[in-house]
Amino acid sequence: MTLGKRIRKLRKEKGLKQKELGEKLNVVESAISLYENDVNIPDINKAKILAEEFDVSLEYLLFGKEQNHLLNKLRNLTENNSELENLLSCLADRKDLLQLLQETKSLNPREIKKLIRIIKIVKEKP
């Protein structure tokens, strides 16, 4: 997905019109259209404002790194739960654990139970 497509997707997810987003960036509506159609790209200061407005990392906005977007969404959902915040911090620090989570998200409950048994066996071996 291109930068322009990400900007459009995030803008629509937030329920903003191009004009409204333009006002936040102090640019005209047509500038937003040019960003979204990959004709122009926002300068770094405007990209930073976009990332903050959409509550995503600058890395996700510019390069589409999904894991950061996922972590930001999870953080927003769990702001007042310290146990989940600790888990998210761990996932942010351990990309291997985040990858494991992403690889297993499509498994059904029975498959997850099998995987947990396998993990317990692996942990028991020296």
Side-chain angles (χ1 to χ4, degrees), residues 42-110:
D43 66 42
I44 193 67
N45 292 324
K46 294 204 181 337
K48 187 176 175 187
I49 293 168
L50 284 168
E52 290 172 1
E53 176 64 31
F54 296 139
D55 199 26
V56 298
S57 70
L58 191 55
E59 183 181 27
Y60 171 76
L61 180 70
L62 297 175
F63 307 111
K65 300 287 184 178
E66 284 293 334
Q67 65 188 30
N68 292 331
H69 186 56
L70 174 63
L71 285 172
N72 286 335
K73 280 190 168 184
L74 286 171
R75 280 190 180 108
N76 290 339
L77 293 172
T78 61
E79 283 180 346
N80 296 319
N81 188 324
S82 61
E83 187 176 334
L84 284 173
E85 285 181 26
N86 290 337
L87 176 61
L88 290 174
S89 292
C90 181
L91 289 175
D93 294 338
R94 296 272 315 270
K95 292 185 180 179
D96 54 343
L97 291 177
L98 183 58
Q99 182 181 2
L100 178 63
L101 179 62
Q102 289 174 330
E103 292 292 330
T104 60
K105 67 183 175 185
S106 63
L107 297 178
N108 65 43
R110 195 175 96 248

